[in-house]
Amino acid sequence: MSYDTQPKASHFIDGGYVEDTSGTPIAVIYPATGEQIATVHAATPAIIERALASAQRAQKQWAAMTGTERGRILRRAADIMRERNRDLSVLETYDTGKPLQETLVADATSGADALEYFGGLAGSLTGEHIQLGEDWVYTRREPLGVCVGIGAWNYPTQIACWKAAPALACGNAMVFKPSETTPLCALKVAEILHEAGAPAGICNVVQGMGEVGASLVTDPRVAKVSLTGSVPTGKKVYAAAAAQMKHVTMELGGKSPLIVFDDANLENAVGGAILGNFYSSGQVCSNGTRVFVQKGIKQAFLDRLAERLSNAVIGDPLDEATSFGPMVSEKQLNIVQDYIATGQAEGARLVTGGERLQRDGFFLQPTVFADVTDNMTIAREEIFGPVMAVLDFDTEDEAISRANDTEYGLSAGVFTNDVTRAHRVVAQLQAGTCFINSYNDAPVEAPFGGTKMSGVGRENSREALNHYSELKSVYVRMGDVEAPF
Ligand code: NAD
C-alpha cells in the first residue's frame, strides 16, 4: 500500500502527537479488504489527564482573543482542509470504507464548510443591552470552557469538525474522542487546526473505547459533552452529564419516514429514497429507512428502484467509479445480516439484495424489502445498513400517524407535487430535520438534530452557537440602592 495510514502517534495533545503504548491496542481495519492498516492505543489515565489539563490551560488564552482572531484561524484551517481534500478523502475511505466518490465531496469538504461558517460567525458573537428606565442590563455571551466531543464511526472528519468548529468559535477548547472503529481522521483535523494557528491544547484528540469517553464525560473540568452515537450510549452519556449538570448535545439514531405520494415525480422520489438509504452503505443516522409509498405508485416505484439499484457499482472504494462500498466492520455487517434474516422470517418480501458479497471485506448488497408492516422489527429498529423497508399507505392522515409512530424523531421526508400538502404534512411530522422533494441534504447553514429519542440540541447554523456558549446577565444600577433596613 503506497498511502501511509499509520498515524505518527495515537493522540494529538497540546499541539503535537503523543503516544503511550501502555494503552490497549486498537486495530484499524480497512473495511474493503479486512486488512489491518494501522494500530492506535487507547488513552491511559495519564493521557486523558494531559489532554484535559492542556485544554483547560489553552482555553483561557483562546477565549481572551477576539472572535475575529479566532475566526481567522478557523477559516485558515478550512482552506488547508480544502487544499488537502484528496489526501483527507483517501484517509476517510481507508478509515470508513466509504467510496472515494463520496468522501471527495462529503467529508473534508463539509468539515471545511463548518470551519469556514463558524469562523465567519466568531466575530459576530454579542450580548445585548436592555434599558430599564435609568438602569440597564447587558448580557455577555461567554464560552462554556472545556468541551468534550465523542464521535460515531460513519463520518469521522465531519463529526469532529461539526463539534470543534462551533466550540472553538465561541472560545471553548475541545477534547475529542473518535469512535474506536474509525480513529484516524480526527487526528488530521486537530493537526490542521494547530497548523492554522490554533494555540496548543485548543483541540486535542484522544483515542479509546467507551470507557475513555466515560472518563472524559465525568471529569469535573468538562463543561459540555456533545455525542454523536446510538440511543443506548446517549442515555448513558446524558445521565452521566446530568449528574454534574453539564450542557449536552445528543445526536443519536433514527428510523426516519420518507413519504411518497401518488402525485410525486417518480424519478426524484426514487432518487431521494436511494440517497436516503444507500449513501455510505446506509450508515447514515438521518436515513429515511421507512419508505411509505402510496398504493397508486407502489409498483412503478419498486420497479424503477430495482432498475436503478442494478446500476450501483459495488467494489473497490478507492476506485472513483465505485458508488457503493462495504460496511464499516464485520460486526456491523453481522448486525445488518441478522436484521435481513429477521425481515424474511417476519414475512417481509425481499425485492432485491440481501446477500453478503463473496469477496474480501465487509460488502453487503443494497437490500429492499416490500410489503413491510409497521410492527415488523425492520420497521421499528434502527438497522444502520443498506436495508430499505417499503410500506404501503392509502391516505395522508394514515401516512402521518404511522410515520410518527416511533420513539425516534431525527428526520422525515415528503415527495409530492402538491405544494400545500407538502407543507401541511411536514408541519405534522415529529422530526428535527425535514425534507420536501429531497432527502439528506445537510448544509452547515441549517440546524441539524433530532426530537424524541433522537437527541437534544442542534448542530450547525447559528443555533449551534447557543449550545457552545451561555449568557451572563449584568444588572447595572445608576441610582442609589433602596434597602428596607
Ligand atoms: P455508539 O453509540 O456505539 O458509539 C458512539 C461513541 O460513543 C463512540 O465513540 C463510543 O466509543 C462512545 N461511547 C460508548 N459508550 C460510551 C460511554 N458509556 N460514555 C462515553 N462514550 C461512550 O455508536 P456508533 O455505533 O459508533 O454509531 C452509530 C450510531 O450513531 C447510530 O445509532 C447512528 O444513528 C448514530 N449517529 C447519529 C448521528 C446524528 O447526527 N444524529 C450521526 C451519525 C451516527
Side-chain angles (χ1 to χ4, degrees), residues 149-155 158-159 162-163 177-182 208-217 225 227-234 236-237 240 250-254 283-286 331-332 382 384 408 410 448-450 454-455 459:
I150 300 175
W153 40 255
N154 55 348
Y155 281 81
Q158 183 188 82
I159 292 171
W162 281 17
K163 297 188 189 312
K177 188 201 84 66
S179 164
E180 56 274 30
T181 311
T182 54
M209 322 288 205
E211 305 90 77
V212 172
S215 44
L216 291 170
V217 172
V225 182
L227 168 77
T228 297
S230 61
V231 170
T233 304
K236 284 188 224 160
V237 171
M250 294 283 145
E251 291 293 352
L252 309 177
Q283 302 163 115
V284 180
C285 54
S286 48
K331 181 175 158 209
Q332 191 61 22
E382 183 183 48
F384 222 60
Y408 295 110
L410 191 52
F448 179 81
S454 293
E459 294 197 299

Side-chain angles (χ1 to χ4, degrees), residues 261-340:
F261 286 96
D262 280 346
D263 68 349
N265 175 309
L266 179 67
E267 213 49 38
N268 286 339
V270 169
I274 288 174
L275 283 178
N277 280 272
F278 301 117
Y279 202 72
S280 303
S281 296
Q283 302 163 115
V284 180
C285 54
S286 48
N287 272 356
T289 48
R290 288 183 298 142
V291 182
F292 291 92
V293 183
Q294 207 165 13
K295 283 188 180 147
I297 200 177
K298 174 185 167 184
Q299 201 48 51
F301 179 90
L302 287 173
D303 292 346
R304 188 64 187 127
L305 181 65
E307 215 168 75
R308 284 182 60 174
L309 284 179
S310 67
N311 295 327
V313 181
I314 309 178
D316 175 7
L318 289 167
D319 179 346
E320 278 183 57
T322 296
S323 56
F324 189 86
M327 306 295 305
V328 76
S329 63
E330 182 125 47
K331 181 175 158 209
Q332 191 61 22
L333 174 80
N334 291 336
I335 292 172
V336 178
Q337 281 191 295
D338 284 350
Y339 274 113
I340 292 172

Side-chain angles (χ1 to χ4, degrees), residues 44-82:
T44 55
I47 287 286
I48 294 172
E49 178 54 36
R50 271 173 84 171
L52 288 171
S54 81
Q56 197 177 31
R57 198 172 51 245
Q59 191 264 328
K60 293 187 180 58
Q61 178 198 351
W62 182 242
M65 290 164 66
T66 66
T68 304
E69 288 168 330
R70 290 196 299 269
R72 196 174 299 135
I73 291 168
L74 297 185
R75 285 184 288 110
R76 205 177 291 141
D79 290 344
I80 299 174
M81 285 195 83
R82 290 208 178 91

Side-chain angles (χ1 to χ4, degrees), residues 59 70 125-127 140-145 147 166-172 223-224 247-249 458 462-472:
Q59 191 264 328
R70 290 196 299 269
L125 294 170
T126 54
R140 291 166 49 90
R141 184 161 288 284
E142 298 187 341
L144 301 173
C147 299
L168 268 53
C170 292
N172 303 288
K224 185 212 162 106
H247 296 248
V248 294
T249 300
R458 292 292 177 268
R462 287 191 157 270
E463 184 58 22
L465 298 172
N466 296 331
H467 296 284
Y468 283 100
S469 61
E470 61 189 344
L471 282 180
K472 177 183 279 174

Side-chain angles (χ1 to χ4, degrees), residues 259 261 292 393-404 429:
I259 306 175
F261 286 96
F292 291 92
F393 75 94
D394 285 305
T395 68
E396 179 180 315
D397 285 347
E398 174 202 343
I400 294 166
S401 80
R402 290 171 59 197
N404 286 336
L429 290 174

Side-chain angles (χ1 to χ4, degrees), residues 304-447:
R304 188 64 187 127
L305 181 65
E307 215 168 75
R308 284 182 60 174
L309 284 179
S310 67
N311 295 327
V313 181
I314 309 178
D316 175 7
L318 289 167
D319 179 346
E320 278 183 57
T322 296
S323 56
F324 189 86
M327 306 295 305
V328 76
S329 63
E330 182 125 47
K331 181 175 158 209
Q332 191 61 22
L333 174 80
N334 291 336
I335 292 172
V336 178
Q337 281 191 295
D338 284 350
Y339 274 113
I340 292 172
T342 307
Q344 285 174 298
E346 291 182 4
R349 176 164 62 91
L350 188 63
V351 174
T352 180
E355 296 291 330
R356 180 177 185 170
L357 265 58
Q358 293 309 312
R359 53 174 291 164
D360 288 343
F362 316 128
F363 288 86
L364 185 63
Q365 293 172 329
T367 300
V368 177
F369 280 106
D371 304 338
V372 177
T373 55
D374 295 350
N375 292 329
M376 289 181 185
T377 308
I378 58 167
R380 302 219 68 81
E381 298 182 12
E382 183 183 48
I383 298 175
F384 222 60
V387 182
M388 183 195 294
V390 177
L391 306 94
D392 317 339
F393 75 94
D394 285 305
T395 68
E396 179 180 315
D397 285 347
E398 174 202 343
I400 294 166
S401 80
R402 290 171 59 197
N404 286 336
D405 180 20
T406 166
E407 61 172 1
Y408 295 110
L410 191 52
S411 297
V414 179
F415 276 84
T416 175
N417 276 331
D418 178 339
V419 68
T420 51
R421 173 158 66 192
H423 297 288
R424 185 171 64 232
V425 171
V426 155
Q428 295 173 79
L429 290 174
Q430 296 164 353
T433 312
C434 292
F435 306 93
I436 294 176
N437 293 333
S438 188
Y439 207 84
N440 263 353
D441 313 76
V444 68
E445 296 87 347

